[in-house]
Amino acid sequence: MSPQPQSAVGAPLSRVDGRLKVTGKAEYAAEHDIKGAVHAVIVDASIGRGRIRSIDTRAAEKHAGVLRVIHHRNAPKLPYRDNPGSNNPTGRRLRVFQDDLVLFHGQPVAVVVATTLEAAQHGASLVKVAYNAEQPSTDISKAEPGAPVPYARGDAEAGLRSSAVRLDLTYALARNHHNPMEPHATVARWDGDRLTVWDKTQWIVGTHDEIAAVFDLPSDAVRVINPFVGGGFGSGLRCWPHTIVAALAARVTRRPVKLVLSRKQMYFGTGFRPAYAYRLRLGSDRRGRLNAAIHDFDAETSSYETFFEAAGAPGQMLYSMPNVSQAYRQVPLDVNTPIWMRGPGFATGSYVIESALDELAHELGIDPIELRRRNEPEEDPSNDLPFSTRRLRECYTVGAREFGWDRRSQQPRARREGDWLIGMGMAAGVYHSGSNAAQARVRLDADGTALVETASSDMGPGTYTSQTQVAADALGLTMRAVTFRLGDSLYPPTPPHGGSQTMASVGSAVLDGCDQVRRQAIELAVGDEESPLYGVNADDVVVRNGRLHVQGTPARGETYKSLLARNGRSHLEARGSYAGPAQPERHSISAYNATFAEVAVDATLGLVRVRRMLGVYDAGRIISPKLAESQAIGGIVGGIGQALLEHTVTDHRDGRIVNASLADYLVPVNADVPEVGVIYLDGDDPDGNALGVKGLGEVVLVGVAPAIANAVFNATGRRVRELPITAEALL
Ligand code: MOS
């Protein structure tokens, strides 16, 4: 078929759901109201490890409005069937109210259901739980790590010994929490043996399957609905215990139940980016050619599940280097299980490598960009696959020019403005371009409008809008004529809305479905004696604004409307699909960036202000430039948080998170965010998917923290090897 003219794809369009969001009409999980719904509030364990000795619920049950208090002594036993297709890490998932064990501070030990939220909250405060408390282990530096996940190529020990220049660096990265604006929430309703759940999730299918597994329900007895997500950053990538608690409470009370986590509960009721202790030994020659790296890194996990993320990946493939070894050790602690957070793993590994490269550049007196250029691989050194597209060199060139990199002094602490030391830094970033099987239903109606449905989510990147752009061009319709729906498990299945894979996966399925429907219409027309297109080669027909015509001869054609009406067709429809990446993969496909930062550091107070940021991205084809820019700004803001502010603090005496609030856990606010420049390189990636996209939601965060850390060094001459970089560390 003729390629379709592209007018929506590539256009800087505003969000199709923007009006709904700014007028408050977009309905988030906690806003879903059902007549007769009651409220549930979880009672959190107040010890970090041990057993529940007794639960006294009498005062709570006497409180006006309280219907039930459910806990391990009276809760029904739940099947907790295995769920092999899930995102659950290996291990044994937390089973709510099934035994007396307390595995972490804040674990749900009871739930109070009441007719009003206030009654449920007060009832929860009246539940008296007595424990046999044990000393929890929550400090990664003092706990016993698990067996290492190894990686090796060449001989890293020998390579390091024979290197002319050697660095031995130890980094500490704080635990981070996602802190989306929307709290996690679940509304659960049983209709006989069927369960409907409105739940904040980034994976409709995953939440659906987990609920079916936990309650041992047939697949079609569970429905999960979630049309809007108020931010996620990864916190919604698995089904958390509170969702099960809500469904359980609804079953026990035979009432629809609404359960909303408090902001405090978001710090232990959902996951987090784990803290890391990371030692990197790096060897190069005197000209900066990397020869060997030994990565030893420990990361938090829970006592009951072993969380994995791709923290080792950048060290395996970002630079050309013959000898690499890695030992990734997960450290089981008395904490809840971590989860992926924006740029998962890659943000951690890249921070370490990019900081170390800056140290090496300083040591050798080589410009940091030049050092990176000298180690640019010609093919992926981790698997010897050719890169599909890797335009990192271009990112450096464009970034250096646009940021004014030539104004940077190679000598640290060389620029001062009054009390402020000024410095510039840069870093490279990478994120693997993943995708997974997805499906989409496409229907073109006789009135010339189309409906596209998938079970995807839109946590904020603008999936509604960008998928509408893809569909509009593939169908030859205006944006207005296409309605895109998501967020319902009745729609065709899609992978997790995370890992920057939604456009590659869901977008490919949408494209396929729309291509099929357009082809059906074209074939109908060219075979229809009454059509002006009768007898035309189907390959020569394109569709524009709902009208089919011969390519190059716009006068010869007709509209979808007239075609369908004359043929007595109420609609045309197709199920689009995307099978996932070709196996075995023949290319190494990743998105890349070069990120630049300029900071000012108060010479006496150690205060860091980010003055300018620029990100230059090689992310393949950009479907929706305005949304892509917004993603990059968001990624840079998140990276500023990781670099300078975000730090979940645990009291190791009892495992309590001490800063579980937005007053005490610092995230960037407007005053922390400077002028941000965003440049996406033009072009597409021909090898991964039909859309030519490489994903951009994660890569925009990777590289931000090391760019800032390197700028802080350039400003002050002080190297802080921990995140966040605090004023105290700079004093
Ligand atoms: Mo993100 S960690 O891909 O939700």
Side-chain angles (χ1 to χ4, degrees), residues 89 140 145-152 272-279 294-301 305-314 316 325-332 338-340 344-346 348-349:
I140 187 174
V149 181
Y151 170 85
F272 51 90
R273 188 197 299 282
Y276 277 79
Y278 200 126
R279 181 183 181 199
I294 301 176
H295 304 247
D296 293 294
F297 50 100
D298 293 351
E300 294 178 294
T301 190
E305 287 174 318
T306 304
F307 173 75
F308 176 88
E309 61 183 353
Q316 296 168 18
S325 76
Q326 294 182 333
Y328 172 5
R329 302 188 302 181
Q330 292 121 322
V331 184
I339 187 90
W340 303 286
F346 286 78
T348 297

Side-chain angles (χ1 to χ4, degrees), residues 13-231:
L13 304 179
S14 297
R15 291 169 191 265
V16 297
D17 53 340
R19 179 175 292 269
L20 283 178
K21 285 189 165 170
V22 299
T23 56
K25 293 207 176 76
E27 191 187 87
Y28 297 86
E31 295 177 314
H32 186 73
D33 285 320
I34 301 176
K35 217 173 144 48
V38 295
H39 297 265
V41 170
I42 288 174
V43 179
D44 315 312
S46 60
I47 61 163
R49 177 191 164 106
R51 286 183 185 274
I52 301 166
R53 198 169 61 230
S54 65
I55 296 195
D56 181 348
T57 59
R58 283 170 299 183
E61 278 159 353
K62 262 190 246 148
H63 186 66
V66 170
L67 300 171
R68 281 296 270 273
V69 183
I70 305 165
H71 47 81
H72 74 282
R73 296 248 166 93
N74 63 9
K77 291 297 154 210
L78 295 177
Y80 274 97
R81 239 203 290 127
D82 282 348
N83 181 9
S86 74
N87 259 348
N88 303 341
T90 54
R92 184 180 191 273
R93 58 224 206 274
L94 191 78
R95 296 167 189 230
V96 294
F97 311 147
Q98 302 295 294
D99 57 41
D100 62 352
L101 276 175
V102 174
L103 302 178
F104 59 87
H105 201 287
Q107 176 191 311
V109 292
V111 64
V112 176
V113 188
T115 51
T116 66
L117 176 60
E118 292 75 12
Q121 283 169 334
H122 191 64
S125 75
L126 297 174
V127 175
K128 291 190 191 65
V129 187
Y131 301 94
N132 291 325
E134 296 165 28
Q135 175 61 43
S137 158
T138 55
D139 186 347
I140 187 174
S141 69
K142 302 212 167 92
E144 192 60 39
V149 181
Y151 170 85
R153 69 169 183 261
D155 186 338
E157 293 284 354
L160 192 66
R161 274 197 304 273
S162 67
S163 294
V165 183
R166 289 191 287 268
L167 299 180
D168 185 344
L169 307 167
T170 300
Y171 297 86
L173 289 88
R175 187 196 287 195
N176 290 167
H177 270 85
H178 309 73
N179 279 304
M181 279 174 67
E182 182 203 9
H184 279 260
T186 307
V187 176
R189 185 185 74 201
W190 291 84
D191 301 287
D193 291 336
R194 308 176 71 81
L195 173 62
T196 306
V197 163
W198 291 261
D199 183 64
K200 177 186 176 125
T201 174
Q202 289 170 236
W203 194 21
I204 290 278
V205 173
T207 295
H208 169 276
D209 292 356
E210 176 72 355
I211 291 170
V214 170
F215 289 91
D216 195 17
L217 295 169
S219 180
D220 63 2
V222 180
R223 182 176 176 193
V224 177
I225 300 172
N226 185 220
F228 293 99
V229 181

Side-chain angles (χ1 to χ4, degrees), residues 488-508:
D488 192 325
S489 59
L490 293 180
Y491 299 153
T494 57
H497 175 54
S500 301
Q501 64 169 319
T502 297
M503 184 50 74
S505 314
V506 179
S508 296

